[in-house]
Amino acid sequence: MDTRMQNQAAVVVLWLAGLSILGLLAVFLGYILYRGLPVLSLDFVLGKSSDILAGGGVGAQLFNSFYMLALSLGLSIPVALGAGIYLAEYAKETKLTKCIRLSVESLATVPSIVLGLFGMILFVNVLGLGFSILGGALTLVLLNLPLLVRVTEEAIRTVPKSYREASLALGATKLQTITRVILPKALPGILTGITLTAGRALGETAILIFTAGTTVSRHRFDFDVMAGGETLAVHLWYLMSTGLVPDRDIIADGIGALLLLIILAFNMVLLLSVRFWQRRVG
């Protein structure tokens, strides 16, 4: 077999592999949406859940999911940006820097259930926060930080060195170069990391079972950070494990479709934001 035929065979194999992945994804998404979309309604999305009676909604769980996500990202993004900028722009290749990178990568490989147990010991028991939104958000910060730090550092490193040299040659300071030149160019990559982190946090269960609990506030939209913090993913797990609601399968299908639509919406917003920013920056 000559080189040309080998290349054609390799292209066919790669196309088949790509189409197989797309086919599996289409079947997976289609099945979830087929079962879950008929369940979705305004009463379901905004209604109160029930532990015994059929026909409950997921309004409080939906609110908790976004509230806890906002709290965790609000705490982790500034820390991750600072750490990523330090590692990419200021830190020298010393043993301390290598230790920091190794620690970040090691934290990223820790199973979420281990982080959940750690969060329960520290935030729930030692600090006395109990099973609350705040305890869950603080533990999610531990989950978010490694990915955000690595993505921020890599996004900054992809900015060409000539941008830094040109900015410094024009008289800009190091801080001005970072804030006005490097970060705007690295922002699309950072936004991608934030979106991936948000999607992962929305679907997290093990961490939140141990720290946020499986209960919600009596109020539908409760901003009290000490209230019960059951999220959509945790409610789905609870229904299918120990739930007594007679229509738990129907509610589970609706939650699955709702989570999928939320994550797809996040990705769509990311794509539009990145394209808009790239056109603006040029």
Side-chain angles (χ1 to χ4, degrees):
M1 184 181 293
D2 58 13
T3 304
R4 184 177 179 181
M5 294 184 64
Q6 289 178 352
N7 291 336
Q8 291 178 346
V11 170
V12 171
V13 171
L14 292 175
W15 268 102
L16 289 176
L19 292 175
S20 299
I21 295 174
L22 290 176
L24 289 174
L25 181 62
V27 171
F28 173 73
L29 297 180
Y31 178 75
I32 293 177
L33 294 176
Y34 172 76
R35 291 182 60 100
L37 283 179
V39 183
L40 299 182
S41 65
L42 192 61
D43 291 336
F44 177 80
V45 174
L46 300 179
K48 291 185 178 181
S49 59
S50 175
D51 292 332
I52 301 176
L53 301 178
V58 293
Q61 288 81 5
L62 179 62
F63 173 78
N64 284 347
S65 298
F66 282 103
Y67 189 31
M68 203 175 303
L69 176 65
L71 289 175
S72 62
L73 290 179
L75 294 172
S76 56
I77 288 177
V79 178
L81 284 176
I85 292 172
Y86 169 76
L87 292 173
E89 295 295 325
Y90 290 98
K92 298 180 180 179
E93 289 300 324
T94 62
K95 292 183 178 179
L96 177 61
T97 305
K98 294 180 180 178
C99 181
I100 293 174
R101 287 198 178 95
L102 179 62
S103 299
V104 171
E105 293 173 357
S106 299
L107 187 60
T109 60
V110 175
S112 59
I113 192 170
V114 176
L115 292 177
L117 289 172
F118 175 78
M120 183 180 66
I121 294 172
L122 178 60
F123 301 121
V124 177
N125 296 330
V126 176
L127 298 181
L129 298 179
F131 294 105
S132 62
I133 293 175
L134 181 59
L138 290 175
T139 312
L140 280 179
V141 171
L142 302 178
L143 180 73
N144 297 341
L145 276 177
L147 178 60
L148 288 176
V149 171
R150 293 299 296 166
V151 167
T152 301
E153 181 185 1
E154 293 303 322
I156 292 175
R157 288 184 180 277
T158 57
V159 179
K161 190 176 180 180
S162 58
Y163 283 64
R164 299 171 175 82
E165 294 173 348
S167 177
L168 295 174
L170 291 174
T173 63
K174 181 77 170 180
L175 182 60
Q176 290 174 332
T177 300
I178 293 173
T179 56
R180 300 183 181 181
V181 178
I182 297 176
L183 284 181
K185 296 297 294 184
L187 188 59
I190 297 174
L191 288 176
T192 302
I194 292 174
T195 304
L196 293 174
T197 303
R200 183 184 180 188
L202 280 173
E204 186 57 49
T205 55
I207 284 179
L208 301 180
I209 291 171
F210 288 106
T211 56
T214 58
T215 60
V216 293
S217 172
R218 291 175 296 176
H219 306 288
R220 184 174 301 177
F221 306 115
D222 194 348
F223 287 90
D224 183 8
V225 295
M226 302 307 295
E230 185 184 48
T231 61
L232 285 173
V234 174
H235 190 53
L236 175 60
W237 168 84
Y238 178 77
L239 285 174
M240 301 309 296
S241 60
T242 60
L244 301 177
V245 185
D247 61 343
R248 65 177 189 174
D249 292 336
I250 297 176
I251 297 176
D253 291 337
I255 293 175
L258 184 58
L259 280 172
L260 183 59
L261 292 176
I262 291 172
I263 293 174
L264 290 176
F266 264 102
N267 289 322
M268 184 61 65
V269 171
L270 165 71
L271 179 62
L272 295 177
S273 300
V274 169
R275 288 187 176 181
F276 172 77
W277 187 259
Q278 287 176 338
R279 290 179 181 177
R280 183 178 178 181
V281 175

